[in-house]
Amino acid sequence: RNDLLKSEHVVLTMTVDKPIKSTWQDSLLERFRTEMALFNPTYHTTVNFGSDASTQLSIGIFSAGNDEFYSRLIKATKAINVESEILDSKSGVVSYVPDFVPSKFVTNDM
């Protein structure tokens, strides 16, 4: 995994005329979030473009290593200038520090 992907990467999927939820595209992005890049900053979200369900474009986004993900996502959707809706945003594990070594070890007996 580490040889294949850089610490900062983005994976995009797309569906037209159907919601991305419960599709293989959504499952792929969720797999990236839960198995490939577990720790924050990681984000998985869906953006729907267009108001008519029959012509709606859904884009699934997985992003790893981008601390400014939400601000950039909002800026990008505004720049496209088409009605859009951001759905189902999820992040990775918040409080994990890889290779953490505590400076003290405390027990209840102390």
Side-chain angles (χ1 to χ4, degrees):
R1 274 187 279 222
N2 294 335
D3 294 339
L4 178 64
L5 298 171
K6 295 189 177 257
S7 61
E8 294 184 22
H9 57 276
V10 174
V11 180
L12 300 173
T13 62
M14 181 177 67
T15 62
V16 178
D17 301 341
K18 65 180 176 180
I20 204 166
K21 214 55 179 151
S22 303
T23 64
W24 68 266
Q25 293 95 330
D26 188 60
S27 298
L28 174 69
L29 297 179
E30 191 60 12
R31 188 152 199 185
F32 268 91
R33 188 182 71 85
T34 59
E35 295 182 24
M36 300 291 283
L38 304 175
F39 309 108
N40 276 343
T42 62
Y43 306 96
H44 171 199
T45 193
T46 301
V47 182
N48 289 339
F49 292 97
S51 57
D52 184 8
S54 65
T55 59
Q56 193 168 64
L57 172 67
S58 292
I59 298 179
I61 304 167
F62 172 80
S63 173
N66 182 354
D67 288 323
E68 298 178 22
F69 174 76
Y70 289 116
S71 61
R72 290 179 178 176
L73 177 64
I74 291 168
K75 192 176 193 179
T77 55
K78 286 181 179 178
I80 293 171
N81 203 24
V82 172
E83 185 176 333
S84 62
E85 181 179 17
I86 299 172
L87 307 168
D88 302 328
S89 187
K90 302 173 191 170
S91 63
V93 177
V94 176
S95 61
Y96 179 78
V97 178
D99 302 321
F100 175 75
V101 178
S103 60
K104 293 183 183 179
F105 185 77
V106 179
T107 67
N108 289 338
D109 298 334
M110 297 178 136

